[in-house]
Amino acid sequence: MILLIDLIIVAIVLMNLMMLSSSRIRTCIRIVAVEGILVGLVPIIADINSITFSAIISSFFNITLKGFVFPWLLYRAAQEANIRKEVEPIGGYALSLLLGVILFLIATWLSTRLLYVKPLFSNIVVSVSFATFFTGVLIIVSRTKAITQVLGYIVLENGIYLFGVSLLAEQHLLVELAILLDIFVAVFVMGIAIFHISREFDHIDTHNLSELKDWIKLKQE
Amino acid sequence: MKIIQIILILVLSPFLSGVINRTKAFFCGRKGSPIFQLYYDIYKLLLKGAVYSSTITWVFIAGPIVSLSAIILAAFLIPFGGEVSLISFNGDIILFIYLLGLGRFFTVLAALDTGSSFEGMGASREVQFAVFAEPALFLSVAALVRLTGKISLSEIFDTINNSCWAEYSPVIFLVLGAIFIVFLTENSRIPVDDPNTHLELTMVHEVMVLDHCGVDLAYICYGSAVKFWILGSFIVSIILKTKHIGWGADQLIFILAMTVLAFIVGLAESFLPRLRLLKVPHLLIVALALSILALTLTFRGFK
C-alpha cells in the first residue's frame, strides 16, 4: 500500500497547484472538496492492515465535513452572493502557480531540516503537508474575494491535518476533532458573513473592507 | 538491425499524421483525406522547384535543410522498440534536446529572414513557447536521470521499464504529464497551436513556414513528421514495457503503440478547444511545474 499512499500524497500536491491556477469559484470549491476527501483517506490507507477505530472516526468526519458539508455551504454562499469568477489575483495566475512550486521546494528543504520528525509512512508526507499549509496561506494572502479566502483557510487546515496524521499514531483523534469543530464553526460563520457582505456592498471584494473605520474616528477627522 | 530501425522511423513517420487526420475526420463525420496523404504531398512538393524572394539571404535557404538534418540526427539517438539506439553514448540526452533546439532555432531564423511581419510574429510566439517548453523537457529528463542513475537514452528507458514503475510511479506520471504537454507544443498540436488554421493572426508554426515552397516545404513537412515520431516515442518508451519476445514482435508492438498515440492525439484534437494565445504560456508553466515537482520528489525519495 506504500505505492497508493504516495500516489494520494502526490495528488494532494497537484490539487494545491490546480487550486492556485483556477479562476472559477465553483472549480475551486470542487478542488478543495476532492483534496479534503484525499486527505481524509490518508489515515485509513496509511496502515490498511491494522485499521484502528480512531482512524476510521477521524477519516469519516474529515471526509463528510471537508468533502461534502463545506462545499455545499460554500456553493450556497457563492450562489447567494452571485459570484462566479475570482478577479485576477495579485501577480496573475501564472505567477501564483510558480510561487506554489517555489513554496513546495521551500517545504521540501524545510522537511529535510527537521531531524527529529520521523513520519510514520511516506517520506514525502511532511514536505507535502508544509506545502499544503503554505499554499493555503498564499491563497488567503493573494486572493481578493472573501469566499476564496475561506477556501484557502480549508486548504491550510488540510496541511495541518496531514502533518498531524503523519506524525501522531495514537493521540491525533482528539486534537483533530477539536480542530475540525473549530473550522466547521468558522466556515459556517464565514459563509453567513459572505452573504451579508455581498448584500451590503454588492460585492465581496475584501480590499474595500480595509477602508471601513470606526464611527468615532471618522467623526473626529 | 539498428539500420532497419532508422529506416522504419524515416519511412513510417508521415503515416502517423495520416492516422491523426483520419481520426479527426471520423469524429467530425467526414471521410477525410487518404491515410497516406502526407507521402503524396511530400512527393508532389519534391518534384517542384522553389521560388525565393529577393530580400532573403542564405539563412532562409539553410533553414529547412538544417532543421531537417538536426531532426534526423536526433532520430538516430532515440531508441526504438526496446532496442539500443543507433548512436548511444553517455549524455546523449543533452545532444538530443539541443538538436531539437537547433532545428527550431533555424526555423525561427529563416522566418525572420523573410522580413515579413507575420513571420516575425510567428517566430516570436514560437520562441516564447520554447522558453517554457525546453526547461520543462530538460527537468523531466533530469528527473528520469535521477530516477535511473543512467545518462544515456537507451539505458534510461531500459531501466525504467525494468525496475522503476513499481516504486516510483508517481514521479513517472508527473514526468509523463510534463512531456506530453511539451510533445503537443513542439509538434504544434491543438491546445497550443492548430495545424489546420490558416489565419495569420492565430498561426504559430504554420506562419513561420508560409514563405517556403517546393522542396523546402517538403523538408519542413517531413521534418515535423519525424519530430512527431521521435518525441512520441519518448512517451511510448516510458509507458510501454518491452517484453523482448523477439525482434520483429517488439518492433511491431512499438509501431502499434505509436499508432495508438497518434490516435489519442487525434482524439484530443477532436474534443479539446484550442487555448487562447495568452493562455498557452500558462499551460507550459503547468508542464514546468510538473517537471520541477517530479525532480524534487526524486531527490526526496520514497520510503
Side-chain angles (χ1 to χ4, degrees):
Chain A
M1 280 304 125
I2 288 204
L3 182 66
L4 194 57
I5 194 90
D6 280 336
L7 278 176
I8 286 182
I9 289 169
V10 172
I12 292 171
V13 185
L14 292 182
M15 291 290 151
N16 289 339
L17 295 183
M18 273 170 75
M19 179 75 203
L20 281 175
S21 64
S22 60
S23 61
R24 278 167 213 285
I25 298 284
R26 291 184 168 200
T27 320
C28 286
I29 294 175
R30 253 175 245 144
I31 293 169
V32 169
V34 174
E35 191 181 87
I37 293 174
L38 286 178
V39 168
L41 283 176
V42 167
I44 294 188
I45 293 173
D47 43 25
I48 195 124
N49 298 322
S50 56
I51 298 173
T52 53
F53 180 67
S54 69
I56 292 175
I57 292 285
S58 147
S59 301
F60 173 74
F61 279 112
N62 222 307
I63 291 172
T64 16
L65 276 183
K66 286 185 201 152
F68 300 99
V69 178
F70 291 169
W72 176 71
L73 277 173
L74 291 172
Y75 245 85
R76 243 190 41 177
Q79 214 160 30
E80 277 169 5
N82 199 18
I83 34 169
R84 284 154 177 275
K85 283 187 89 168
E86 170 70 53
V87 283
E88 189 82 356
I90 304 155
Y93 289 104
L95 185 67
S96 64
L97 184 62
L98 275 183
L99 271 179
V101 175
I102 292 170
L103 287 178
F104 178 74
L105 291 180
I106 293 174
T108 310
W109 173 78
L110 203 62
S111 72
T112 58
R113 306 298 300 162
L114 299 172
L115 296 177
Y116 299 104
V117 171
K118 292 273 178 292
L120 297 169
F121 39 96
S122 175
N123 229 343
I124 52 171
V125 67
V126 175
S127 55
V128 170
S129 63
F130 279 140
T132 314
F133 186 86
F134 290 155
T135 309
V137 177
L138 179 63
I139 291 169
I140 294 177
V141 172
S142 68
R143 302 302 199 256
T144 51
K145 295 260 199 248
I147 195 161
T148 335
Q149 294 177 349
V150 179
L151 290 174
Y153 181 67
I154 300 174
V155 170
L156 192 150
E157 208 282 332
N158 281 341
I160 299 172
Y161 180 81
L162 198 62
F163 189 71
V165 164
S166 68
L167 294 179
L168 306 170
E170 300 298 325
Q171 296 302 324
H172 68 90
L173 178 67
L174 197 66
V175 181
E176 277 311 325
L177 289 185
I179 295 176
L180 263 180
L181 185 67
D182 273 1
I183 66 162
F184 176 63
V185 173
V187 170
F188 198 76
V189 170
M190 284 191 245
I192 296 167
I194 287 167
F195 174 62
H196 279 281
I197 295 172
S198 77
R199 202 176 56 182
E200 213 61 44
F201 300 109
D202 298 329
H203 58 77
I204 51 166
D205 197 333
T206 48
H207 275 315
N208 301 355
L209 284 183
S210 55
E211 284 171 18
L212 290 176
K213 285 188 183 128
D214 259 341
W215 176 241
I216 301 167
K217 229 185 206 172
L218 275 178
K219 254 207 256 175
Q220 283 169 354
E221 282 170 6
Chain B
M1 289 300 185
K2 289 174 180 173
I3 302 290
I4 299 175
Q5 285 179 352
I6 291 299
I7 294 170
L8 274 178
I9 294 180
L10 295 183
V11 171
L12 289 175
S13 305
F15 168 71
L16 293 182
S17 134
V19 173
I20 296 176
N21 284 335
R22 277 315 269 269
T23 315
K24 281 164 75 176
F26 176 78
F27 284 105
C28 289
R30 287 184 283 118
K31 194 154 171 268
S33 51
I35 208 154
F36 296 110
Q37 182 63 44
L38 193 54
Y39 292 98
Y40 305 142
D41 284 351
I42 290 171
Y43 177 68
K44 179 190 77 187
L45 288 170
L46 279 177
L47 293 181
K48 292 188 175 180
V51 181
Y52 293 114
S53 139
S54 56
T55 60
I56 55 147
T57 58
W58 63 271
V59 177
F60 183 80
I61 302 166
I65 303 171
V66 174
S67 35
L68 179 65
S69 37
I71 289 168
I72 290 181
L73 197 55
F76 287 175
L77 298 171
I78 198 93
F80 182 36
E83 298 281 321
V84 179
S85 53
L86 183 66
I87 307 171
S88 172
F89 52 91
N90 276 347
D92 57 0
I93 26 183
I94 294 176
L95 179 63
F96 175 78
I97 295 172
Y98 274 114
L99 277 173
L100 294 182
L102 180 72
R104 177 175 34 238
F105 179 65
F106 262 85
T107 316
V108 167
L109 274 193
L112 288 176
D113 197 39
T114 58
S116 145
S117 50
F118 276 132
E119 304 224 356
M121 207 165 65
S124 135
R125 287 171 186 167
E126 173 93 2
V127 174
Q128 189 200 1
F129 296 167
V131 164
F132 298 110
E134 213 161 272
L137 188 58
F138 250 111
L139 289 172
S140 336
V141 165
L144 291 181
V145 168
R146 279 281 312 172
L147 211 59
T148 54
K150 301 284 180 358
I151 42 175
S152 91
L153 276 173
S154 309
E155 284 179 338
I156 286 175
F157 291 141
D158 200 40
T159 321
I160 286 178
N161 277 326
N162 289 331
S163 53
C164 291
W165 260 109
E167 209 175 337
Y168 291 102
S169 56
V171 176
I172 298 180
F173 282 134
L174 291 176
V175 167
L176 276 177
I179 290 183
F180 192 69
I181 295 175
V182 172
F183 165 73
L184 291 178
T185 313
E186 291 270 348
N187 292 302
S188 35
R189 287 281 146 197
I190 250 188
V192 178
D193 183 12
D194 188 355
N196 290 336
T197 183
H198 278 280
L199 175 69
E200 288 92 338
L201 288 174
T202 58
M203 286 151 78
V204 180
H205 180 75
E206 296 298 312
V207 78
M208 289 202 302
V209 301
L210 212 55
D211 280 40
H212 295 271
C213 62
V215 184
D216 288 344
L217 191 58
Y219 283 178
I220 289 168
C221 290
Y222 185 59
S224 46
V226 178
K227 195 174 178 185
F228 185 89
W229 180 284
I230 53 179
L231 277 171
S233 68
F234 213 96
I235 297 173
V236 170
S237 305
I238 295 176
I239 297 175
L240 194 70
K241 191 172 165 60
T242 42
K243 299 232 168 40
H244 295 291
I245 316 168
W247 190 81
D250 278 352
Q251 309 303 312
L252 201 65
I253 292 171
F254 193 85
I255 292 166
L256 274 179
M258 288 299 296
T259 318
V260 171
L261 181 72
F263 176 70
I264 292 171
V265 171
L267 271 184
E269 298 218 344
S270 311
F271 292 108
L272 286 179
R274 189 185 164 186
L275 283 179
R276 229 176 343 136
L277 208 61
L278 293 173
K279 292 265 182 187
V280 173
H282 195 166
L283 178 76
L284 292 168
I285 287 177
V286 171
L288 192 61
L290 291 180
S291 56
I292 294 175
L293 276 187
L295 188 60
T296 323
L297 289 180
T298 59
F299 274 104
R300 199 72 187 92
F302 301 105
K303 208 176 211 175

